[in-house]
Amino acid sequence: MEIKQFEYKPLAHYSYAIVDNGEMAVIDPERDPMQYYAFAQEHEAKIVAVIETHPHADFISSHLQIHKETGASIYHSKDLGADYNYEPFDEGQHIMVGDIKVSALNTPGHSPDSITVVAEKDGKTALFTGDTLFIGDVGRPDLREKAGNMTAKRQELAEMMYHSIQNKFKDLPDGALVYPAHGAGSLCGKNLSSDNSSTLGNERMGNWAFKPQSKEEFVNTLLDSQPFIPSYFGFDVDTNRKGPENLRTSIAQVPLKLNTSINGLIVDVRDETEFKKGHLPGSINIMAVSENSKFETWLGAIINPEEPFSLVVEKPSDAERILKRVAKIGYEKQVKLVLTLDESALVQSDKLDLTHFKNNPNEYTIVDIRNQSEIEEGKYFESALTIPLNDLRSSSTQIPKNKPIIVHCAGGYRSSAGSSILESLNENVQVYDLGDNINDFK
């Protein structure tokens, strides 16, 4: 039994291939299936199954594309209620991938339709736990109150998670390998380890969820201080349940236009330095320069599902790469146009006099756009208004306009987006980005 883990770092997502005797199954695949196809070809294996542990909230899966392009059957819980053809895969059912016995455990908690995939051969066991069991944590239970075929309230799901952790893993060996769908940095849990795998024995010893505790204690701990929910999460659950479009054909429909300008909602993905030198009025700067940046998360937190927008890229060769990143969360259908800029139509961002700010902080309205959990650990400026970045567009009217506005986060990436949002909404007040100068105030 060979197991391959694939990682997509911006979303801290792990997907898997298991191969044996010329057959291969893919588990929780990301939007672009080409890496799985390459792996199958390298191992002279046929993809016979694609398995979904649940309908994902933070990314779009390629399960339907893999099915159509390889003939592989799609397997997941019957409770998911998909709109496409699939094979029900619930407790008591199993399939063979080569000589690997692959079975399902119903492990609701993160979602009501979650399963854990159990792969067994020659006395070895691997658990593909989806968003049920993470390394050091369990999946959050508050994402399915408004999305999916089966909706459930967070209290109910937290209680389901308690039952799953207490009962569904107890007959499995300590040596069973644990392979989750996410690691540190994902918004699908709150205290995920940076380790990408573990054993069930290690989790029984070190994961808080396995410690002796009452259901009430477990539920209270699980529900406390979960991170914010980006606006795209429910949209992705529904898209995955309905069946996403083929990636290649979907992004191919987005037009590209060079050296132009446009009105409306604009997402400029260039580096903040270039953005501040010149950008189209009304642009929001969500940088996608680094391959490991959290571009997808912040795009889906700032821009609402089905809200049309245009994309500004640095050069034409960036267009396909950026569209593929937009498509990771299913937003490519909202992109009206990808464009490079006409230099004659640009405006500059206000440039901060850092010395003046340091000497006269009371002459500015300071806006702290960090997440609530970060703010609770302490503010850098006592007078700062606290509005997390994901709420900034809808809450900008709360910010006074009688002073210049200065925006900060914890390191600079988010403050570039936040300051550009306020700049786009406020023509009559200066807006400054503190950027990485926040380090001077820590």
Side-chain angles (χ1 to χ4, degrees), residues 18-39:
I18 55 174
V19 178
D20 189 70
N21 198 24
E23 293 187 333
M24 174 172 143
V26 183
I27 302 170
D28 291 336
E30 62 138 284
R31 184 72 189 273
D32 188 348
M34 291 303 158
Q35 60 192 326
Y36 313 119
Y37 297 168
F39 188 76

Side-chain angles (χ1 to χ4, degrees), residues 361-376:
N362 292 333
E363 294 184 15
Y364 298 80
T365 296
I366 304 171
V367 182
D368 183 343
I369 63 167
R370 294 177 299 153
N371 298 333
Q372 189 60 40
S373 60
E374 297 172 281
I375 293 166
E376 289 171 359

Side-chain angles (χ1 to χ4, degrees), residues 1 118 146 170 188 214 420:
M1 174 166 61
V118 183
K146 299 178 181 178
K170 65 182 181 182
C188 292
S214 68
S420 64

Side-chain angles (χ1 to χ4, degrees), residues 79-301:
D79 294 334
L80 193 151
D83 290 352
Y84 48 81
N85 292 326
Y86 68 95
E87 298 295 329
F89 198 48
D90 291 284
E91 214 155 307
Q93 296 176 301
H94 77 272
I95 60 173
M96 299 300 296
V97 178
D99 294 322
I100 305 171
K101 181 182 178 182
V102 182
S103 54
L105 289 176
N106 291 106
T107 51
H110 172 70
S111 68
D113 40 27
S114 288
I115 62 170
T116 290
V117 178
V118 183
E120 299 170 290
K121 183 187 176 186
D122 297 336
K124 296 181 180 179
T125 303
L127 307 176
F128 301 92
T129 54
D131 288 13
T132 297
L133 177 60
F134 294 135
I135 311 306
D137 202 0
V138 293
R140 65 189 298 176
D142 55 348
L143 301 182
R144 289 291 291 275
E145 294 181 313
K146 299 178 181 178
N149 179 61
M150 291 179 70
T151 60
K153 295 187 182 301
R154 62 191 68 191
Q155 178 75 23
E156 296 168 4
L157 281 170
E159 292 175 2
M160 290 181 193
M161 182 67 83
Y162 177 77
H163 176 77
S164 291
I165 296 299
Q166 289 289 313
N167 300 299
K168 292 305 179 81
F169 298 99
K170 65 182 181 182
D171 294 331
L172 293 165
D174 280 343
L177 296 170
V178 176
Y179 291 110
H182 289 291
S186 169
L187 289 173
C188 292
K190 57 182 175 180
N191 291 309
L192 282 66
S193 170
S194 58
D195 294 341
N196 61 2
S197 65
S198 182
T199 64
L200 190 55
N202 285 340
E203 293 310 297
R204 284 170 171 151
M205 288 189 296
N207 190 318
W208 72 269
F210 283 101
K211 293 178 180 177
Q213 58 197 300
S214 68
K215 181 166 71 173
E216 183 180 11
E217 290 171 326
F218 179 96
V219 168
N220 289 341
T221 300
L222 182 55
L223 291 177
D224 182 53
S225 301
Q226 287 289 354
F228 76 97
I229 302 173
S231 56
Y232 80 93
F233 270 23
F235 171 77
D236 275 19
V237 168
D238 288 335
T239 301
N240 282 318
R241 185 180 61 80
K242 294 172 183 174
E245 291 191 33
N246 182 296
L247 173 65
R248 292 191 313 279
T249 55
S250 191
I251 64 173
Q253 296 173 30
V254 182
L256 170 67
K257 196 168 184 181
L258 309 185
N259 305 319
T260 191
S261 61
I262 195 170
N263 296 318
L265 182 58
I266 304 163
V267 173
D268 191 322
V269 306
R270 296 174 302 147
D271 182 77
E272 61 178 316
T273 304
E274 297 303 313
F275 177 85
K276 289 178 171 63
K277 286 179 184 175
H279 55 268
L280 291 172
S283 299
I284 298 174
N285 184 210
I286 309 176
M287 291 183 282
V289 179
S290 167
E291 290 299 321
N292 294 330
S293 68
K294 296 291 184 182
F295 169 74
E296 292 88 347
T297 296
W298 291 113
L299 177 69

Side-chain angles (χ1 to χ4, degrees), residues 48 133 394:
V48 296
L133 177 60
S394 61

